[in-house]
Amino acid sequence: LRALRVAGLQPAQNLLVLGSGIAGLLMIHAARALGAGKILAVDPSPFRREMAREFGADEAVSPEEDQISCLRLLTGRRLADLVFVCTAAEKAHYQALEAAERGGKILFFALPDPKIKIAFSVTDIFGRNGRTLTSSYGAGPYDSWAALELMRSLKIRVKDMITHRLPLSETAKGFQLVEAAQESMKVIILPNK
């Protein structure tokens, strides 16, 4: 929730979420619960795109698709008021810079490898379009309390995001599922199972 608070999510704002792993999925689901407008999710995995739709995205597309056209079609010709980068993929960071509406905000939740440098026009991002670039990671006491309240009220269904529950003896399989990032979202190891 801290990321949504830092981004300043307002009701009916349109969102683009780049990356639909567990962080992206939580952003989508929480934003929907808090009254977001249209939400477009982007992920290379068909499984994760389907999960994004299940948890509140209006549409989910591959990173190879034209996200600007998809956004404009979904929102009635507008770009995203808020863009959440929930993947370390370098390409997504460039896509985020192009997808924010004038006066929009881009929040970097996942960062690329430190060796990667993202080049952009300061004049275009700030001068012509008045976009805000920010980041967020972690949560303070208030954000943790608010998240727990949303889970308690069942507005956020985190249990439904668990795709695999494995015994301790299958821990290696759990790591393989997570690393493959195919048809898994959240893998839980149950030591007493």
Side-chain angles (χ1 to χ4, degrees):
L1 285 180
R2 181 175 192 275
L4 294 172
R5 188 170 48 77
V6 168
L9 174 68
Q10 299 295 314
Q13 283 187 314
N14 299 317
L15 276 64
L16 172 64
V17 179
L18 300 164
S20 295
I22 195 67
L25 202 62
L26 285 166
M27 295 283 188
I28 291 165
H29 198 35
R32 178 59 65 215
L34 296 171
K38 299 293 184 181
I39 301 174
L40 176 66
V42 178
D43 199 277
S45 162
F47 173 78
R48 290 183 174 199
R49 290 194 301 267
E50 186 55 39
M51 291 288 284
R53 286 185 198 97
E54 181 180 330
F55 283 92
D58 293 286
E59 186 56 76
V61 298
S62 163
E64 304 309 315
E65 294 183 54
D66 181 352
Q67 292 152 45
I68 301 298
S69 295
C70 291
L71 267 172
R72 291 191 186 281
L73 185 64
L74 186 64
T75 65
R77 310 270 322 131
R78 290 185 50 81
L79 294 176
D81 299 305
L82 300 173
V83 178
F84 292 92
V85 182
C86 299
T87 174
E90 181 179 2
K91 181 179 177 181
H93 290 74
Y94 282 105
Q95 290 169 327
L97 295 171
E98 296 175 10
E101 186 60 68
R102 283 187 177 192
K105 194 174 277 190
I106 302 166
L107 185 134
F108 298 95
F109 191 78
L111 301 173
D113 184 292
K115 295 176 195 136
I116 294 174
K117 306 293 183 210
I118 305 294
F120 63 89
S121 164
V122 172
T123 301
D124 184 48
I125 296 296
F126 302 114
R128 291 191 182 120
N129 293 301
R131 294 175 177 142
T132 299
L133 306 181
T134 190
S135 65
S136 176
Y137 195 84
Y142 170 77
D143 298 304
S144 297
W145 173 83
L148 288 170
E149 286 302 308
L150 283 172
M151 287 184 269
R152 189 175 296 125
S153 69
L154 300 179
K155 288 182 180 174
I156 295 184
R157 306 176 335 263
V158 292
K159 284 185 180 179
D160 295 342
M161 295 178 188
I162 300 169
T163 55
H164 297 79
R165 290 173 174 84
L166 302 173
L168 189 58
S169 62
E170 293 184 30
T171 300
K173 178 182 176 183
F175 279 105
Q176 290 168 347
L177 287 165
V178 171
E179 183 181 19
Q182 295 299 313
E183 297 207 5
S184 67
M185 187 55 64
K186 193 66 175 171
V187 177
I188 303 293
I189 303 298
L190 303 168
N192 297 324
K193 186 175 180 185

